Amino acid sequence: LFDYCNKLKVNDNIKNKYLKRYVNCFKNKPFITTFITLFIVYIIYLIIYYPGVVGYDPSYQIKEYFGIPNFYSEALNLDTSKTMITAFNPVLHTLLIGSLVKFGYNIGNVNFGIFIYNFIQMCAFIAVLSYSVKFLYEEKLPIKFILILIGLYIFVPYFPFYSICCFKDTYFSMFFMLFIIELCKVIKYKMDIKSIIRLVLVSFGLCMFRNNGLITIIMTLLFFLLLKDNRKQVFISMILVILLYFGYTKTLSLCGVSGTSIREMLSVPFQQTSALIYNKEEVMDKEDIDVVGKLLDLDIIRNEYDPELSDKVKNTFNNNASNEDLIAYFNVWFKYLLREPKIYIEATTNNIYGYFYPNAKRWYFYYKKYNVLNEVGIDYQYNSLKPLRDVLSGFGTAFAYIPLIGLLVNIGANTWAYIYLIGSLCENKKKKYILLTIPMISILLACMVGPVNTYFRYVLPYASTLPLILGFIYSNRK
């Protein structure tokens, strides 16, 4: 398949007169033409889903901004007299969405505030997608492939749906795509001062919209130091990003923004311990079970353990647990790691297999209305276009089951596409392009220690960027 694509000669002769006119417009103004095309499609989604989709996480972020006790404040036992804003979610995103919803609330129309947020996000998302198309056109990607890419941005449902969802992952994916474009330029072109500034700003933006963004930046740029060219510039960029990030986090701390709970880093061991208690509690000593009980709710483990979701157990973490309790827990965890390694391996596998297994299908986009805000008196409502919403959500749901094409929204298929690409690049001695897959590997590793199996929102950055990477490599295949 790689050899076929490598040797493929594309005839850019467009016969359809309407398509030919579109191509002529595109060649004159590639960014604007793509932007207008995508805007016409995406604004339909926003109108039908007015004011936009607000899921659980952004709902809690809005409650944080309004100073209402919520899921995150309870996890930290926050003093309600102080700011409720925490670092569980990117603070910049919380301030952005919270301030616009607050504006709508103050003028008596919460929905309008949510709409403004989603309209800004949608336009920003379209702008980044349009820039990616323009970049590949400038890289001499055949125009037919350009049209296919625009078609993907139109018809693959997660692109328009995530453009109108209030999740941090949409902004993170934007900066992820811009980051990949800058990495493409680092591989191919000599960096100057402007290149360093662009790379630093894009990298810093990546850090602003996901807590694991800095890990992705450091891991990627360290590998880019292997390049002979631009090594000094990449190193300077990495140091500047690290300094900016720690300056930013220090500022947040001085402003009273609370950090996250240690439980966020313990999904894997908690899931392994829970699997042991759920399946073979009889092999554990009573005092060891009591040690676990000081951190986690044993009744929840025994009755509600979910092998593909650690949140049910993790969210029962005792915030008042001492360091001694944590040390005692890890002693118990290690003790049974040696005694029951099979259960530990199975527990971890059950929580990550969907990131590799193409037959694992789960919903991959948000379209339902959640009532988290309504429960505290914030009147968030959809409009009356429910029949049209049913059509679009039905299309999105059915898309995953279309033979071959449905694999575009399949997590395992996207992961294996990257794995295949890495192998093909090694085979064809184009190893420097493998560096473009390092950000994807970083995201995948984060998913493997995360709380949920087969969760598309977590892989949105590398799934949405795959066509860009393939297009760049194809353009430079010679």
Side-chain angles (χ1 to χ4, degrees):
L1 179 62
F2 185 93
D3 289 341
Y4 172 78
C5 292
N6 199 33
K7 297 173 182 177
L8 184 63
K9 293 183 179 180
V10 181
N11 180 3
D12 268 347
N13 183 29
I14 307 293
K15 295 182 179 179
N16 185 283
K17 64 178 181 179
Y18 299 108
L19 199 55
K20 189 179 292 186
R21 289 178 188 171
Y22 180 83
V23 169
N24 290 334
C25 290
F26 176 85
K27 288 181 177 179
N28 290 327
K29 296 189 178 294
F31 178 86
I32 294 177
T33 303
T34 306
F35 187 96
I36 293 174
T37 303
L38 298 181
F39 183 87
I40 291 171
V41 176
Y42 289 17
I43 195 65
I44 294 173
Y45 279 77
L46 184 54
I47 291 170
I48 292 175
Y49 282 89
Y50 178 91
V53 183
V54 183
Y56 282 111
D57 279 3
S59 296
Y60 295 134
Q61 289 175 260
I62 293 169
K63 289 173 74 174
E64 280 185 348
Y65 189 88
F66 276 69
I68 301 171
N70 56 82
F71 175 75
Y72 301 118
S73 63
E74 293 168 1
L76 295 172
N77 293 333
L78 288 184
D79 183 350
T80 55
S81 64
K82 299 179 180 179
T83 177
M84 284 286 176
I85 296 177
T86 70
F88 269 97
N89 289 287
V91 175
L92 183 61
H93 185 249
T94 300
L95 294 176
L96 177 61
I97 186 173
S99 60
L100 289 172
V101 174
K102 186 77 170 181
F103 168 75
Y105 184 83
N106 289 336
I107 65 173
N109 192 336
V110 168
N111 283 346
F112 184 65
I114 295 172
F115 169 77
I116 293 175
Y117 168 86
N118 277 301
F119 184 80
I120 293 172
Q121 175 182 273
M122 182 193 74
C123 290
F125 192 50
I126 292 173
V128 172
L129 296 180
S130 302
Y131 177 63
S132 72
V133 173
K134 177 178 179 290
F135 169 72
L136 289 177
Y137 177 67
E138 291 172 347
E139 288 294 310
K140 310 301 182 185
L141 186 67
I143 196 67
K144 286 186 177 178
F145 288 170
I146 292 288
L147 294 176
I148 291 173
L149 179 59
I150 295 174
L152 291 176
Y153 289 163
I154 292 173
F155 293 108
V156 177
Y158 65 74
F159 287 108
F161 269 108
Y162 274 97
S163 76
I164 62 166
C165 287
C166 300
F167 284 98
K168 60 193 175 188
D169 305 87
T170 303
Y171 275 101
F172 183 75
S173 297
M174 293 184 215
F175 281 102
F176 191 87
M177 185 171 286
L178 293 173
F179 182 59
I180 293 295
I181 292 174
E182 290 306 314
L183 295 181
C184 291
K185 294 177 181 178
V186 171
I187 287 177
K188 188 172 180 181
Y189 305 106
K190 182 69 176 176
M191 292 182 70
D192 54 17
I193 295 297
K194 290 183 179 179
S195 302
I196 293 175
I197 293 173
R198 284 200 310 268
L199 181 58
V200 170
L201 291 179
V202 168
S203 301
F204 186 60
L206 204 62
C207 298
M208 292 301 93
F209 287 95
R210 273 284 280 273
N211 291 334
N212 63 326
L214 184 64
I215 297 175
T216 299
I217 297 299
I218 294 175
M219 180 176 170
T220 301
L221 296 186
L222 282 174
F223 275 96
F224 266 75
L225 292 177
L226 298 174
L227 290 173
K228 293 180 180 179
D229 298 327
N230 295 322
R231 185 176 296 171
K232 179 181 177 181
Q233 293 88 331
V234 169
F235 180 75
I236 292 172
S237 301
M238 182 173 67
I239 297 301
L240 288 175
V241 172
I242 293 173
L243 292 175
L244 280 172
Y245 179 78
F246 282 105
Y248 172 75
T249 54
K250 183 65 176 177
T251 302
L252 292 181
S253 178
L254 293 174
C255 293
V257 175
S258 301
T260 60
S261 169
I262 192 174
R263 75 184 190 188
E264 297 303 303
M265 299 182 288
L266 300 177
S267 291
V268 173
F270 282 172
Q271 196 74 336
Q272 292 168 336
T273 304
S274 301
L276 180 63
I277 293 175
Y278 184 81
N279 292 294
K280 295 184 73 173
E281 185 175 353
E282 66 276 5
V283 305
M284 297 182 68
D285 298 330
K286 184 181 183 307
E287 55 269 25
D288 293 336
I289 297 175
D290 292 339
V291 168
V292 177
K294 289 182 179 180
L295 294 187
L296 304 171
D297 189 320
L298 295 175
D299 289 335
I300 295 292
I301 292 175
R302 290 168 180 147
N303 299 310
E304 298 184 31
Y305 166 71
D306 185 340
E308 297 190 34
L309 176 66
S310 70
D311 280 346
K312 288 184 179 180
V313 172
K314 185 184 69 176
N315 291 345
T316 70
F317 177 74
N318 177 12
N319 299 312
N320 298 315
S322 65
N323 290 334
E324 290 74 20
D325 293 332
L326 280 168
I327 292 171
Y329 166 77
F330 278 108
N331 287 334
V332 170
W333 174 83
F334 185 73
K335 174 181 176 180
Y336 291 97
L337 171 64
L338 301 178
R339 289 189 186 180
E340 299 289 342
K342 183 173 180 288
I343 285 186
Y344 277 39
I345 292 171
E346 287 178 347
T348 302
T349 304
N350 283 334
N351 214 47
I352 67 171
Y353 74 86
Y355 295 104
F356 298 91
Y357 183 48
N359 267 16
K361 289 184 174 66
R362 185 176 288 178
W363 57 270
Y364 62 95
F365 67 100
Y366 292 82
Y367 61 91
K368 295 180 180 179
K369 177 184 173 295
Y370 301 92
N371 293 316
V372 177
L373 296 177
N374 301 84
E375 293 168 358
V376 293
I378 298 176
D379 188 25
Y380 160 55
Q381 302 291 343
Y382 276 159
N383 58 29
S384 59
L385 300 177
K386 185 178 183 303
L388 295 177
R389 285 196 295 277
D390 290 342
V391 170
L392 286 181
S393 58
F395 165 69
T397 303
F399 189 91
Y401 297 91
I402 300 174
L404 293 180
I405 296 177
L407 293 176
L408 291 169
V409 299
N410 182 285
I411 296 176
N414 275 275
T415 301
W416 277 102
Y418 275 99
I419 294 173
Y420 164 78
L421 176 62
I422 292 170
S424 298
L425 291 170
C426 288
E427 174 70 17
N428 287 271
K429 299 178 181 177
K430 297 181 181 294
K431 295 182 181 179
K432 69 177 181 179
Y433 293 104
I434 295 175
L435 295 174
L436 295 174
T437 68
I438 301 298
M440 168 268 174
I441 295 172
S442 170
I443 300 296
L444 182 60
L445 291 174
C447 291
M448 292 173 66
V449 298
V452 190
N453 183 30
T454 325
Y455 202 33
F456 192 87
R457 181 162 65 89
Y458 290 171
V459 305
L460 176 65
Y462 75 70
S464 59
T465 311
L466 178 60
L468 168 65
I469 294 176
L470 292 176
F472 176 75
I473 292 175
Y474 181 84
S475 297
N476 294 276
R477 66 194 186 282
K478 303 259 175 150

